[in-house]
Amino acid sequence: MQHGVEFAADVSDQLIGVFQNPALLLGIPLALAGAVFMSLGAQYQHRGVEKVEKLTGVEGATGLSSSQLKGLLARPSWIIGTLMLGLAVLCQLSAMAIAPLIVVQPLGAVALVVTTLLNARVSGHTPTRKSLIAIASCLGGIFLFVTLAAFYAVEREISNENLFTILAILLVVIIVLGACWLILRRRMRALFYVTGAGILYGFVATLAKAVISRIQNGNFEWLTVVCVIALLAAAAVGAYFVQTAYSSGPPDLVIAGLTVIDPIVAVLIGALVLREASAAPLLVLILFGVAGAIAVFGVFGLARYHPQVLSESQELGMQRGSGGPSTGSGTQTDDGPAQ
């Protein structure tokens, strides 16, 4: 009983400390604004990729060609989406500069809700019960993960040794993803590209936080420059994966993967490399794993049960017209209109 009282008091003190931090209170709305820009940008970029595929007559599911990449630069919708994603990055970097990464980074999960609603309206594929359960798993798992991390994470100074470790792991990740893409890209679908982009963006967020911290402390030297180069390289490969994912899956599936895998990777790096979770007891570490597993389960569930994915693969039963099979327009399903 005494232990429970002490735990409740400790949690209360931490919550009070969080909300007394003016920088954190400003970082949260910035991160939320970034999430909205991310969802809008994803929708517009997805539209641009679809138009380029129709114009070229070639699907980009196995990787966009150089001509398709050039074609994207001529699509107003894709350019608008890119500008919105740029605003999302600006908001995110501003939030990370004034608030802990472990708090602001996972708030991007809000983009999943916004993108799901937008895509349902644009595509006419109303979310099904199973896809809504998958979305709830994504959001529930990531917010549980963040809540636990906020209670027990300890922000530490990033040493040169930490940066060397992060850069070495990133190099291995890029080599593995590149090898998989070269060897198996004919078999790869949206889930691979989403997962790869999420992992890379997790490193991008971590390196961005490290660079911002070093600049704020006036410690801009050669290792910081290497971090900037690695950050740009990971961001470029991740961006290519995202564009390819748009050609082989709906935008809310892409956002689901990014908003779940990205923060989990960033937090895992903080916990294992930067030892920000060294104060967490064993039970909390187990709960970290459970929360992450729930979120990842949601991503796989959305990839399997998303109504647009099912419709395009002809796995979703469709009743045409009002009286029986038909080939006319106005296709309807139990889950809403389909294109």
Side-chain angles (χ1 to χ4, degrees), residues 21 23-24 27-28 30-31 89-106 153-159 162-163 166-167 200-221 223-224 227-228 230-232 262-263 265-267 269-271 274 276:
N21 183 355
L24 177 60
I28 289 174
L30 279 172
V89 171
L90 182 61
C91 289
Q92 187 181 38
L93 291 177
S94 300
M96 287 193 296
I98 60 178
L101 174 66
I102 204 170
V103 174
V104 298
Q105 183 71 8
V154 179
E155 191 168 4
R156 300 179 183 275
E157 183 179 354
I158 302 177
S159 66
N162 294 146
L163 287 180
I166 294 171
L167 291 171
L200 290 172
Y201 283 160
F203 281 92
V204 168
T206 305
L207 290 173
K209 178 67 175 179
V211 170
I212 291 173
S213 176
R214 290 196 162 222
I215 292 176
Q216 289 175 331
N217 295 328
N219 187 19
F220 193 87
E221 25 68 73
L223 186 55
T224 306
C227 288
V228 172
L231 185 157
L232 294 176
D262 174 350
V265 170
V267 173
I269 294 173
L274 306 180
E276 292 180 346

Side-chain angles (χ1 to χ4, degrees), residues 4 27 83 96 105 125 162 184 205 237 308 327 330:
L83 292 175
M96 287 193 296
Q105 183 71 8
H125 293 87
N162 294 146
L184 303 172
V237 177
Q308 185 173 339
T327 57

Side-chain angles (χ1 to χ4, degrees), residues 10 58 166 213 264 339:
D10 182 57
V58 179
I166 294 171
S213 176
I264 287 180
Q339 287 185 329

Side-chain angles (χ1 to χ4, degrees), residues 141-289:
I142 200 66
F143 278 112
L144 174 59
F145 194 97
V146 173
T147 300
L148 293 169
F151 286 155
Y152 291 99
V154 179
E155 191 168 4
R156 300 179 183 275
E157 183 179 354
I158 302 177
S159 66
N160 289 348
E161 290 75 12
N162 294 146
L163 287 180
F164 280 126
T165 302
I166 294 171
L167 291 171
I169 297 174
L170 175 59
L171 178 61
V172 173
V173 168
I174 291 179
I175 291 174
V176 171
L177 290 176
C180 290
W181 181 80
L182 288 173
I183 298 172
L184 303 172
R185 67 173 179 166
R186 297 297 177 186
R187 303 177 183 177
M188 299 299 183
R189 290 301 175 188
L191 196 58
F192 165 77
Y193 292 107
V194 168
T195 302
I199 293 173
L200 290 172
Y201 283 160
F203 281 92
V204 168
T206 305
L207 290 173
K209 178 67 175 179
V211 170
I212 291 173
S213 176
R214 290 196 162 222
I215 292 176
Q216 289 175 331
N217 295 328
N219 187 19
F220 193 87
E221 25 68 73
W222 70 270
L223 186 55
T224 306
V225 175
V226 173
C227 288
V228 172
I229 295 173
L231 185 157
L232 294 176
V237 177
Y240 176 81
F241 278 11
V242 168
Q243 302 310 313
T244 305
Y246 286 146
S247 70
S248 54
D252 41 347
L253 171 60
V254 177
I255 291 296
L258 295 182
T259 56
V260 169
I261 298 171
D262 174 350
I264 287 180
V265 170
V267 173
L268 283 176
I269 294 173
L272 300 177
V273 179
L274 306 180
R275 298 187 59 79
E276 292 180 346
S278 57
L282 179 60
L283 177 59
V284 173
L285 295 177
I286 294 174
L287 290 177
F288 274 148

